[in-house]
């Protein structure tokens, strides 16, 4: 298990990262040979693990996370092939950004992906007002949409 980012809002803590084939406490992702993007939600007061949500695919990593005032979770990362929130990327990797409501059944408000060059990393994301800022680096240009109102 590899945590990459942390978001705190009130009494909620969400850790974003990647998971292989293990469980976290009584929670966890289905065992797989590939990495899965993982969101682990904890209670801030005592650190009790509330739930683990996995975004499965051929290979995926959640690299940035934020919690909106509404409680929705924004997550950004990289993936290869497909991602269980309805995305299909191109070779070799794609960047994803999604707005989710975590619960017994994770609900996807929206998700988008961007074709990426060979070497791409998502470093994190920040929400400022109604703007979502994703940062990272790549060896080539990324076709980020501009002017879209997603939040």
């Amino acid at each position: 298990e590899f945590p990459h980012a942390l978001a705190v809002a009130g009494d909620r803590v969400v850790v974003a990262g990647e998971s292989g084939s293990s469980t976290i406490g009584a929670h966890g992702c289905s065992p797989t040979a590939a990495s899965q993007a993982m969101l682990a939600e904890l209670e801030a007061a005592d650190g009790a693990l509330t739930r683990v949500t996995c975004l499965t695919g051929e290979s995926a990593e959640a690299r940035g996370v934020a919690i909106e005032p509404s409680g929705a979770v924004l997550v950004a990362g990289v993936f290869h092939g497909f991602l269980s929130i309805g995305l299909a990327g191109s070779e070799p990797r794609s960047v994803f950004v999604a707005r989710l409501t975590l619960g017994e059944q994770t609900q996807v408000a929206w998700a988008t992906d961007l074709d990426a060059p060979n070497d791409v990393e998502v470093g994190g994301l920040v929400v400022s007002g109604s703007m979502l800022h994703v940062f990272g680096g790549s060896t080539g240009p990324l076709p980020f949409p501009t002017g879209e109102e997603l939040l």
Side-chain angles (χ1 to χ4, degrees), residues 32-46:
T32 179
S35 64
Q36 303 169 77
M38 173 200 60
L39 298 168
E41 187 172 352
L42 302 100
E43 293 181 19
D46 60 6

Side-chain angles (χ1 to χ4, degrees), residues 2-7 13-17 38-42 53 62 65:
F2 299 97
H4 294 295
L6 174 76
V13 176
V14 177
V15 178
M38 173 200 60
L39 298 168
E41 187 172 352
L42 302 100
T53 302
V65 65

Side-chain angles (χ1 to χ4, degrees), residues 2-65:
F2 299 97
H4 294 295
L6 174 76
V8 179
D11 62 348
R12 291 178 68 199
V13 176
V14 177
V15 178
E18 61 186 284
S19 174
S21 60
S22 63
T23 60
I24 303 169
H27 307 275
C29 301
S30 300
T32 179
S35 64
Q36 303 169 77
M38 173 200 60
L39 298 168
E41 187 172 352
L42 302 100
E43 293 181 19
D46 60 6
L49 184 63
T50 307
R51 74 179 47 88
V52 174
T53 302
C54 294
L55 309 178
T56 59
E58 291 178 43
S59 177
E61 303 170 15
R63 292 293 184 138
V65 65

Side-chain angles (χ1 to χ4, degrees), residues 61-64 75-79 94-97 122 125:
E61 303 170 15
R63 292 293 184 138
V75 60
V78 293
F79 74 103
S94 293
V95 172
F96 74 90
V97 182
V122 171
L125 61 86

